[in-house]
Amino acid sequence: KLGLKMRVSLPLKNLHHHATPHRHIERVRESIKQRDQTKDLNIFITAIPSEDLMALASSSNERSKLGKDRRLEGMPVAIKDNFCTKDWKTSCGSKMLNEFIPTYDATVVSRLKDEGAIIIGKTNLDEFGMGSNSTLSFAGPVVSPIKGDDKADHVAGGSSGGSAAAVAAGIVPVAIGSDTGGSVRLPASYCGVYGMKPSYGVVSRYGLIPYASSLDTPGIFSRDIASLESVFEVISGHDARDSTSVSSSQSDDLEKPMSKMRIGIPKEFNVQGISAPIRDSWQDAIYHFHQMGAEIVTTSIPQTRYALAAYYIIALAEASSNLSKYDGLRYGFRQHGDTLKEMYSNTRSQGFGDEVKRRILLGNFVLSRKSYESYYKKAQQIRRLLVEDFDRCFRNDGIDFIITPTATSTAPTFDALKDVPPSDVYINDVFTVPASLAGLPAMSIPWSTWKGLPIGLQLMGPRLADRKMLQLAHLLERSRDQIKHS
């Protein structure tokens, strides 16, 4: 057994500022080069002009010379195109907002800029965040930079596929996405990078164009835990402009030895649809925790079996409400009609893609007078019971963290998706929606590969235990490095 302990994080200044000042210009130039060389992957909807980026890098260079480094000085970052960015187009991957240029920055964006991060572009996504493969964008699909043994093109996962691909392709060390029911964790698994969904409310939603307001959570992609942790510390924290924002995460039990850790394995996640490589990786992770000294505990979260259905009822209901404002009058796309009603109809019919229209219709259905009690109310009751199940697991059973698969399979090819009905695509979120409904912190960790394709595993923790989860992920990263080099 490795006998490792949870340890105090490195100070942020030690994570990113060991390089010489001219490094800011070099790494921004390298990001631009890598971005331009991977245009065929369709990762970005908007690429910030190179001359603007180099001016920002030069400014960071001057600050470093004066010893005035900020926490993320000169770090290239990519932003999902559903976060508002002042003077830069924010399209949500939709024709409806294809010409929309916000007059303000989202809180996540402004906090990154204030600490010296350099935003190199806005990444592609499923339209309004509605999808699991990043194939439903008005700008076209995102192609994963990961080529398996079959050499075929694979999807990047969604809906934050552009951000995941930007990190996996080496364009940026960190990218921002949004996670409603798994939209950070699923593409992180498909692309072989870390993907974190913080506890709901820990990171401000102000300026994140909403899909489902009670579920939407800004998330982070990175190739390493140290970079992810540094960005999390910058973007998290209370924001008065977001009524659901909370002050902070819990303090950490930094010196808890692994021999005192209880890792839960929920039996309801052992579903028939898991592919053999995913199941093998899950078993390997369980064994790895055991080797590290943790106690492995089988646990039960009964309402998990209803979570996927409850999630889609709630998410689609909220989406139908949130998207009702796109009427062609105030901003966004407008299609002429002879009457006001015809203009509304033409605008929404032509401005939204098929999947968005499908979800609006379903959302309106579950909110209708005849269906509200049967669908929406019951879904909210299941959500409450699911929260109680997790509380019982973490508090009464003493479980510290839960480990599950992130996805049921590795990234599919584009050809494999051609004949898959939309309802089957929804099943991709079966492992990720429980944490979203309960507002828990969760992250996908790159664990193994199969036929050259990445496999991620998911950590879930108690609400507001975000920093503790990052500590455990850092510990896993270090222990696996030790094994590789032993």
Side-chain angles (χ1 to χ4, degrees), residues 37-314:
Q37 288 178 345
T38 53
K39 286 182 178 179
D40 59 320
L41 301 180
N42 203 29
I43 292 172
F44 290 92
I45 290 179
T46 299
I48 308 305
S50 300
E51 55 271 22
D52 294 347
L53 296 177
M54 293 311 299
L56 290 170
S58 296
S59 178
S60 288
N61 183 52
E62 293 304 313
R63 289 184 68 96
S64 293
K65 288 180 179 179
L66 296 172
K68 295 182 179 181
D69 279 339
R70 295 163 291 184
R71 289 186 285 176
L72 303 178
E73 198 68 65
M75 176 187 281
V77 176
I79 305 289
K80 187 177 180 180
D81 201 31
N82 58 350
F83 287 87
C84 287
T85 45
K86 184 179 180 180
D87 299 330
W88 297 340
K89 184 175 79 171
T90 301
S91 72
C92 286
S94 177
K95 182 178 180 179
M96 185 66 77
L97 291 177
N98 195 43
E99 302 298 328
F100 173 56
I101 299 177
T103 58
Y104 67 97
D105 282 330
T107 295
V108 166
V109 174
S110 63
R111 288 180 176 179
L112 288 169
K113 287 182 176 180
D114 289 346
E115 291 297 339
I118 297 175
I119 297 169
I120 73 161
K122 306 291 294 295
T123 57
N124 204 352
L125 69 157
D126 286 304
E127 185 178 8
F128 283 100
M130 300 182 189
S132 299
N133 295 302
S134 292
T135 58
L136 302 175
S137 170
F138 179 65
V142 179
V143 180
S144 173
I146 309 297
K147 291 284 188 182
D149 294 347
D150 57 7
K151 304 302 180 185
D153 285 337
H154 292 256
V155 301
S159 63
S160 307
S163 291
V167 173
I171 300 171
V172 289
V174 173
I176 300 297
S178 63
D179 192 307
T180 306
S183 290
V184 165
R185 289 161 286 162
L186 186 63
S189 178
Y190 283 179
C191 291
V193 298
Y194 291 95
M196 177 187 181
K197 182 200 85 70
S199 298
Y200 183 81
V202 167
V203 179
S204 172
R205 292 184 298 111
Y206 179 76
L208 168 60
I209 296 176
Y211 161 18
S213 301
S214 73
L215 297 160
D216 294 341
T217 306
I220 312 167
F221 295 95
S222 181
R223 293 194 298 273
D224 63 89
I225 292 297
S227 297
L228 192 156
E229 186 177 20
S230 66
V231 169
F232 173 75
E233 293 296 336
V234 166
I235 67 174
S236 62
H238 183 259
D239 179 11
R241 295 172 296 184
D242 177 3
S243 62
T244 61
S245 176
V246 297
S247 296
S248 63
S249 296
Q250 293 175 348
S251 59
D252 304 309
D253 185 3
L254 297 176
E255 293 301 325
K256 189 172 187 178
M258 283 301 297
S259 60
K260 299 290 185 181
M261 296 281 287
R262 289 168 62 87
I263 303 298
I265 312 299
K267 60 184 182 182
E268 290 81 8
F269 281 66
N270 190 16
V271 297
Q272 289 185 346
I274 306 177
S275 66
I278 302 294
R279 194 180 300 276
D280 290 344
S281 292
W282 190 15
Q283 291 292 337
D284 181 65
I286 294 169
Y287 179 73
H288 188 84
F289 271 110
H290 174 70
Q291 288 295 99
M292 291 171 68
E295 179 183 359
I296 307 300
V297 181
T298 300
T299 188
S300 178
I301 308 171
Q303 301 303 319
T304 295
R305 70 192 70 179
Y306 309 117
L308 189 65
Y311 164 80
Y312 272 102
I313 290 171
I314 294 169

Side-chain angles (χ1 to χ4, degrees), residues 211 315-324 348 359-360 363-364 367:
Y211 161 18
L316 272 53
E318 294 185 13
S320 68
S321 177
N322 281 325
L323 272 62
S324 64
R348 292 173 67 82
R359 296 192 187 201
I360 290 173
N364 282 319
L367 288 176

Side-chain angles (χ1 to χ4, degrees), residues 96 323-352 357 360:
M96 185 66 77
L323 272 62
S324 64
K325 60 178 170 284
Y326 302 113
D327 53 16
L329 287 178
R330 285 161 285 190
Y331 51 81
F333 172 76
R334 177 190 294 184
Q335 182 61 46
H336 176 74
D338 292 335
T339 65
L340 182 63
K341 184 177 180 180
E342 187 176 300
M343 188 272 288
Y344 283 157
S345 178
N346 291 345
T347 295
R348 292 173 67 82
S349 295
Q350 297 179 35
F352 292 133
K357 287 185 282 191
I360 290 173

Side-chain angles (χ1 to χ4, degrees), residues 353-384:
D354 289 343
E355 180 62 25
V356 172
K357 287 185 282 191
R358 182 182 296 111
R359 296 192 187 201
I360 290 173
L361 290 171
L362 289 171
N364 282 319
F365 170 76
V366 301
L367 288 176
S368 65
R369 179 178 296 179
K370 292 183 179 180
S371 302
Y372 181 88
E373 294 284 335
S374 300
Y375 292 97
Y376 185 74
K377 185 176 180 180
K378 285 186 178 180
Q380 291 289 14
Q381 290 171 337
I382 289 170
R383 186 179 193 176
R384 176 178 56 80

